[in-house]
Amino acid sequence: MPKITISPITRISGLLSIDIMLDSNRVVQEANCSGEQFRGFELMLKGRQPEDAVYFTERICGICSMAHGYTSTRLVRKILGLEPTPEIVLLEQCLLGAEFLQNHIRHFYLLALPDYLPAAALPRINQGLSPETAPGFDVNVSQAQQHMLLEHYFRAMEASRKCHEMLAVFGGKIPHQHGMTAAGVAVIPTASRQVQFRSLLHQVQDFIHEAFLPDLHFIAERYPDYETIGAGPNRFLCFGLFDPRYGGHFPAGIMVDGRPQTINPRAIREDIRYSWYQETTENPLPEKPGAYSWVKAPRYQGLAFEGGPLARKVIASGLTGTTIAGTIPRLAARAEEAALIASWMEEWMNYLPQTGRYTAQPTGVPRSDAIQINDAPRGPLLHAMMVSGGTIGRYTVITPSTWNFSPKDDHGERGPAEAALVGTVLADIKHPLEVGRIIRAFDPCLSCATHFIARQGENQIHFDLEV
């Protein structure tokens, strides 16, 4: 079969290359997604104090650093036997929510939207893909509409910056905030800080409702074929997001063939048949025959699952059917989720007392092992820790893009992004624009996905613990 290699995939976080194999009708028959960045954060954490994990894991990613800090904070609290007060939970949810807004706005306008506009319509891009140089480019947006979207493109940068300002109000700085620790929060929500946070939130909410949601609906109307193009496996996974005791949240669960089920993290296994690691040791093996990615292949009950805003929407609403997934539905779910989370954040801020208790309380004997799961902007995030002799003996991270951009497993089961590409018809093999549209709708972060997390002699999570 003819083979096309796209390397690197641009407008994403991290390093990603894709090989696609076509038949004579330009239909994608096979796809390999290659994460080409090795980092090894889990190895760096060995021998450090458990409390170090909060700030250390934030450095895994500059885009979703809060999600890693949020997850690691809860993990360390389990290890130390600490329980956050309701005030801490609400404030930390507001901070994580601000990161979700930043991520979703930035993703649509700066990363995904350019796939639907001619290059000449974008700033400082006067060459490359355009209707003249890419015959397969279906320009369905008039010049006046392009100018409107370009105006919103620049407004999105400002809105995304305001989301980071919200985080900095209580986190000190962003990315890699300093205000959230296992022991509690460093900055309490005084009246002036709450006013500042709310003011920024209201400005971001205005942008979401005035630009983000209408622009998404506009693109969906202009490109209706992408409602189903890039469908993927139609299996969805969510680890849960936000505490249900305090208002809005997304429930944990899986959806398989339209049937909702509860989730058990101990059923997760990681396959490395096509990953650059040795099968029985903790050593990388970049020359491994047949392997093509640093990303591993997490599977739940032997199946690949998609995570992210669309998965959260499907599981929370109980949607069923075989045509739920697609490129536009993934984009739409992000915009809808941004509006929803922004409204929840306002409720949480209203419930937040200025004179509350912002120090985590001891609740019991410290533990030597713990696991923490919750969702990040791109999907399910897992952190697990084993402590030995007072320091970290093992630290495990499984990120959303590890799920979405996993390679095939030992049984040939494709990862969700690979499955989404198979069956796609390319209008022009010299300009495979369809590939970029499908891949970017997942909002890939290969900086998060490519980590060395194998254990000696096995590839599975089996902490016998209450999650």
Side-chain angles (χ1 to χ4, degrees):
M1 292 183 290
K3 176 182 175 182
I4 297 176
T5 298
I6 307 173
S7 179
I9 299 291
T10 56
R11 282 184 277 120
I12 68 166
S13 299
L15 302 178
L16 173 67
S17 296
I18 295 178
D19 292 331
I20 55 175
M21 280 59 76
L22 308 170
D23 65 12
S24 58
N25 295 316
R26 306 187 309 279
V27 178
V28 178
Q29 299 295 308
E30 192 55 88
N32 291 342
C33 293
S34 301
E36 299 178 320
Q37 183 180 17
F38 175 82
R39 304 182 75 196
F41 264 84
E42 291 82 354
L43 293 180
M44 300 178 203
L45 280 162
K46 287 185 176 181
R48 297 181 178 272
Q49 296 296 314
E51 296 92 330
D52 292 345
V54 176
Y55 294 145
F56 208 89
T57 57
E58 285 185 318
R59 269 68 183 176
I60 290 173
C61 181
I63 296 296
C64 52
S65 62
M66 176 59 68
H68 284 290
Y70 180 93
T71 307
S72 185
T73 294
R74 279 149 181 73
L75 175 63
V76 175
R77 284 174 184 156
K78 289 181 177 181
I79 290 289
L80 300 180
L82 298 173
E83 180 70 23
T85 62
E87 299 94 304
I88 293 174
V89 172
L90 287 166
L91 183 56
E92 290 177 347
Q93 288 188 170
C94 286
L95 296 178
L96 183 61
E99 180 168 89
F100 270 73
L101 302 187
Q102 172 273 140
N103 184 87
H104 291 351
I105 292 170
R106 174 201 52 81
H107 169 258
F108 177 72
Y109 284 97
L110 304 188
L111 307 184
L113 181 60
D115 284 327
Y116 302 91
L117 300 174
L122 299 171
R124 299 182 180 275
I125 303 178
N126 297 317
Q127 298 178 350
L129 299 178
S130 70
E132 293 74 29
T133 60
F137 190 25
D138 47 345
V139 181
N140 297 336
V141 184
S142 70
Q143 266 200 331
Q145 293 161 341
Q146 291 173 27
H147 290 315
M148 174 196 69
L149 291 170
L150 182 59
E151 178 188 347
H152 294 170
Y153 176 95
F154 285 109
R155 284 184 62 193
M157 298 182 191
E158 181 73 7
S160 182
R161 181 180 64 80
K162 289 174 180 175
C163 295
H164 270 173
E165 287 184 19
M166 276 191 276
L167 281 162
V169 169
F170 298 110
K173 71 183 193 70
I174 202 70
H176 318 318
Q177 59 79 38
H178 283 168
M180 183 170 59
T181 72
V185 294
V187 180
I188 63 173
T190 61
S192 61
R193 290 193 180 103
Q194 289 192 50
V195 168
Q196 184 181 4
F197 190 95
R198 283 196 185 95
S199 175
L200 291 164
L201 176 59
H202 291 161
Q203 295 174 61
V204 173
Q205 285 178 310
D206 289 343
F207 176 79
I208 291 171
H209 291 283
E210 293 171 4
F212 194 3
L213 286 169
D215 289 348
L216 186 282
H217 295 151
F218 173 79
I219 291 297
E221 291 172 359
R222 292 300 185 274
Y223 296 88
D225 291 350
Y226 281 87
E227 286 287 338
T228 55
I229 291 175
N234 262 298
R235 292 188 295 269
F236 302 100
L237 169 69
C238 176
F239 281 165
L241 177 62
F242 306 129
D243 195 314
R245 296 175 296 175
Y246 308 110
H249 75 288
F250 291 100
I254 63 173
M255 185 73 76
V256 181
D257 297 327
R259 299 189 307 274
Q261 302 175 29
T262 58
I263 185 169
N264 175 11
R266 290 184 287 274
I268 297 171
R269 300 290 182 270
E270 289 195 293
D271 192 286
I272 57 172
R273 170 65 181 83
Y274 292 97
S275 305
W276 286 313
Y277 305 101
Q278 297 187 47
E279 298 288 345
T280 58
T281 72
E282 292 190 349
N283 297 319
L285 187 64
E287 69 276 10
K288 180 178 176 180
Y292 60 88
S293 182
W294 285 115
V295 182
K296 294 189 176 183
R299 297 292 184 262
Y300 184 79
Q301 296 179 344
L303 298 174
F305 281 81
E306 174 180 341
L310 181 59
R312 289 190 285 270
K313 175 182 177 180
V314 168
I315 292 168
S317 59
L319 292 175
T320 60
T322 58
T323 58
I324 297 170
T327 301
I328 290 297
R330 291 189 185 97
L331 297 177
R334 278 187 167 79
E336 294 164 359
E337 183 173 277
L340 189 59
I341 290 177
S343 68
W344 292 346
M345 289 168 63
E346 188 152 19
E347 293 179 20
W348 299 333
M349 189 58 59
N350 289 336
Y351 293 146
L352 202 59
Q354 297 175 26
T355 58
R357 195 167 189 175
Y358 291 93
T359 302
Q361 304 302 302
T363 59
V365 179
R367 298 159 62 174
S368 60
D369 291 87
I371 181 172
Q372 173 64 34
I373 61 171
N374 48 251
D375 260 35
R378 294 168 179 83
L381 176 61
L382 180 150
H383 282 219
M385 181 193 300
M386 183 274 289
V387 175
S388 178
T391 63
I392 298 173
R394 182 177 72 249
Y395 203 98
T396 299
V397 178
I398 303 179
T399 67
S401 289
T402 310
W403 288 93
N404 290 335
F405 287 87
S406 67
K408 297 168 187 63
D409 59 28
D410 200 41
H411 302 288
E413 169 92 7
R414 301 183 185 95
E418 293 182 343
L421 290 169
V422 172
T424 302
V425 181
L426 303 186
D428 180 0
I429 62 174
K430 293 183 179 179
H431 302 283
L433 299 168
E434 297 85 353
V435 174
R437 288 172 174 173
I438 293 169
I439 290 301
R440 291 190 188 94
F442 283 93
D443 193 10
C445 181
L446 275 299
S447 297
C448 283
T450 47
H451 298 287
F452 182 45
I453 58 182
R455 296 180 57 204
Q456 182 78 22
E458 55 186 284
N459 296 286
Q460 65 183 61
I461 303 298
H462 72 167
F463 294 99
D464 188 18
L465 300 163
E466 179 181 353
V467 176

